[in-house]
Amino acid sequence: MTSILDLTKEELEEKIKPSFRAKQIYQWIYQKYANSFHEMLNLPKLLRDELAQNYILSPLTLAKEEQSIDGSKKYLFTLQDKLTIESVLLPMKNEQFDKDGNRICHARYTICISSQVGCKMGCAFCLTGKSGFVRNLNAGEITAQVLFIKKLNNISAERRVNIVYMGMGEPLDNLQNVAKAVGIFADLDGLAVSPKRQTISTSGLSRQIAKLGKMDIGVLLAISLHAIDDETRGRLMPINKAYNIQSVIEAVKAFPIDMRKKIMFEYLIIKNVNDSLQSAKKLVKLLSQIKAKVNLIYFNPHNGSEFERPDEKDVAAFADFLNSHGLLCTIRQSKGLDISAACGQLKQRRESELA
Ligand code: SAH
Ligand code: SF4
């Protein structure tokens, strides 16, 4: 059955008359966290019955939850066809209180979501890539991940979250559904997450970056670069053979971004592969042409992987080099390392447990 989460408010308005009902339904779902159509008491009973007959409220069920000591939580969800996907809740900032116990700062969260079951790109370091591609998620399956996680954690509706498309799958290989989800998330009667708080991470599908740019929907872009020469990048990421580094850089240059924002480049550091200062130097040169910032990520080893986690001192030296040469850089704290938070790893473990 169709999930109502797969419909934009405009699509719902077309289907349900009078059209102001769509707004009410959106508010029930995304702001009052209704668990059934029967709770939607300001709708006529007939409409509630009709909705319950024609739609399901959630295309996901929770299969597994793991909490890390640093507070991040990883979720494995089961889709209607029994396939599973992962999402992660990352608390970025804790609630803060003054000495009298008044709250002075709300908690801030980032939710990392999947866009596909599996992935076609086959990156050598990625578990999701290893298991191949199964299917695209529809917009409802994408939006449900954020709604579910907010609900499960009692994160109130007014608390805006940041959304990153960095879970399983290549979002730009499922551009139509991802762009639709961006719009559903942004709806002010829904979760009201502005596109400026949504970051699409891509392995660098240059042509799709251009398409997304033309759509001009206002999302932020993150590029998984991971290497500075085509030979190394091609070894890590087969997609580099179709879209080499220069084509990605050109696509990024043409991408519309807010004057105050920068494009994020993710750089996964792998021991003895791309962790030298020589690489850092080339990275500075490559990115000097664009308004960029870099996020360094420790490679997270998994069973059977041919690569190793880099040494902390090498990552620190790499970061220092970038920062001291004017390239803003952060190191992604290995949030959730103890719960195997790199994409695809929870799913993989679950499958081997069940095997
Ligand atoms: N397909 C998109 C988005 C999903 S992957 C992309 O590649 O950008 C999200 C991030 O997880 C990527 O930056 C990827 O490099 C990272 N990742 C994959 N496997 C990892 C591992 N074993 N350790 C650490 N990060 C990993
Ligand atoms: Fe796909 Fe991203 Fe994993 Fe590469 S890193 S296989 S693009 S999910």
Side-chain angles (χ1 to χ4, degrees):
M1 223 190 316
T2 315
S3 150
I4 198 156
L5 303 185
D6 196 37
L7 300 180
T8 62
K9 196 172 65 200
E10 293 67 32
E11 286 173 338
L12 207 51
E13 280 167 349
E14 302 240 310
K15 290 181 195 292
I16 290 163
K17 299 289 171 203
S19 58
F20 71 87
R21 295 285 179 214
K23 180 182 168 111
Q24 292 176 317
I25 296 168
Y26 248 59
Q27 290 171 343
W28 274 111
I29 297 175
Y30 295 104
Q31 299 182 350
K32 298 187 220 170
Y33 297 159
N35 286 317
S36 83
F37 292 108
H38 302 293
E39 283 172 44
M40 304 181 179
L41 286 176
N42 57 357
L43 306 183
K45 168 129 187 8
L46 208 64
L47 176 58
R48 282 182 265 148
D49 292 343
E50 196 186 303
L51 289 170
Q53 267 161 24
N54 293 314
Y55 298 102
I56 52 160
L57 250 179
S58 175
L60 311 172
T61 52
L62 180 64
K64 188 168 177 169
E65 174 180 343
E66 280 189 14
Q67 170 130 31
S68 155
I69 36 173
D70 67 10
S72 58
K73 288 185 191 172
K74 184 153 186 167
Y75 296 91
L76 188 73
F77 292 117
T78 309
L79 304 166
Q80 282 174 282
D81 54 8
K82 303 282 178 251
L83 295 168
T84 53
I85 50 163
E86 292 177 11
S87 329
V88 186
L89 172 70
L90 302 156
M92 306 308 276
K93 205 172 183 188
N94 290 330
E95 250 179 341
Q96 284 172 20
F97 297 89
D98 64 14
K99 60 180 179 354
D100 302 321
N102 303 313
R103 185 165 50 210
I104 48 172
C105 172
H106 284 284
R108 285 230 217 111
Y109 302 95
T110 293
I111 299 179
C112 171
I113 57 176
S114 293
S115 55
Q116 297 180 318
V117 182
C119 182
K120 285 178 208 159
M121 304 305 142
C123 301
F125 48 81
C126 174
L127 262 182
T128 305
K130 286 237 153 80
S131 49
F133 175 73
V134 185
R135 72 168 173 86
N136 282 331
L137 297 185
N138 65 32
E141 290 166 327
I142 298 173
T143 48
Q145 299 170 57
V146 173
L147 178 61
F148 238 70
I149 288 181
K150 278 190 85 175
K151 254 195 218 185
L152 281 167
N153 290 279
N154 297 316
I155 300 174
S156 68
E158 317 77 72
R159 289 262 61 77
R160 306 282 186 265
V161 295
N162 294 314
I163 295 171
V164 293
Y165 298 77
M166 291 184 186
M168 300 164 65
E170 168 50 54
L172 295 191
D173 186 37
N174 185 15
L175 182 56
Q176 271 337 97
N177 293 335
V178 166
K180 185 174 177 185
V182 170
I184 298 176
F185 282 134
D187 197 300
L188 293 177
D189 292 312
L191 292 167
V193 182
S194 146
K196 280 193 236 125
R197 290 173 167 274
Q198 302 186 47
T199 303
I200 294 185
S201 172
T202 176
S203 55
L205 309 188
S206 310
R207 205 178 307 147
Q208 300 298 89
I209 294 173
K211 254 196 194 166
L212 178 68
K214 286 213 182 77
M215 289 177 168
D216 206 9
I217 51 176
V219 281
L220 304 181
L221 194 61
I223 304 287
S224 289
L225 189 65
H226 307 333
I228 35 71
D229 63 273
D230 284 316
E231 200 210 316
T232 314
R233 194 167 191 267
R235 196 149 61 84
L236 298 175
M237 307 174 73
I239 188 67
N240 195 72
K241 294 181 183 101
Y243 300 112
N244 65 15
I245 296 178
Q246 200 49 41
S247 87
V248 177
I249 297 289
E250 295 307 322
V252 167
K253 278 189 189 164
F255 191 81
I257 52 158
D258 192 312
M259 291 297 286
R260 286 155 301 174
K261 300 275 184 191
K262 290 182 155 69
I263 302 272
M264 153 96 78
F265 285 82
E266 292 160 279
Y267 191 95
L268 181 73
I269 306 201
I270 304 174
K271 188 171 178 160
N272 296 335
V273 172
N274 59 2
D275 58 351
S276 70
L277 282 185
Q278 199 58 24
S279 299
K281 197 171 167 187
K282 287 191 186 157
L283 186 59
V284 171
K285 184 151 181 267
L286 182 72
L287 298 185
S288 64
Q289 324 168 31
I290 14 191
K291 277 177 65 182
K293 59 181 177 183
V294 173
N295 192 211
L296 300 177
I297 311 166
Y298 279 84
F299 168 67
N300 199 12
H302 41 82
N303 279 346
S305 87
E306 58 184 300
F307 302 116
E308 286 173 59
R309 194 177 155 80
D311 291 336
E312 231 159 88
K313 66 167 186 11
D314 292 332
V315 176
F318 200 104
D320 281 349
F321 187 93
L322 301 189
N323 281 323
S324 63
H325 288 78
L327 182 53
L328 188 68
C329 144
T330 48
I331 300 176
R332 188 187 297 171
Q333 291 310 322
S334 301
K335 282 210 184 253
L337 198 63
D338 55 323
I339 55 165
S340 48
C343 68
Q345 297 194 12
L346 183 65
K347 179 182 162 81
Q348 179 89 3
R349 266 201 10 232
R350 165 83 173 192
E351 278 162 9
S352 55
E353 275 163 27
L354 292 176

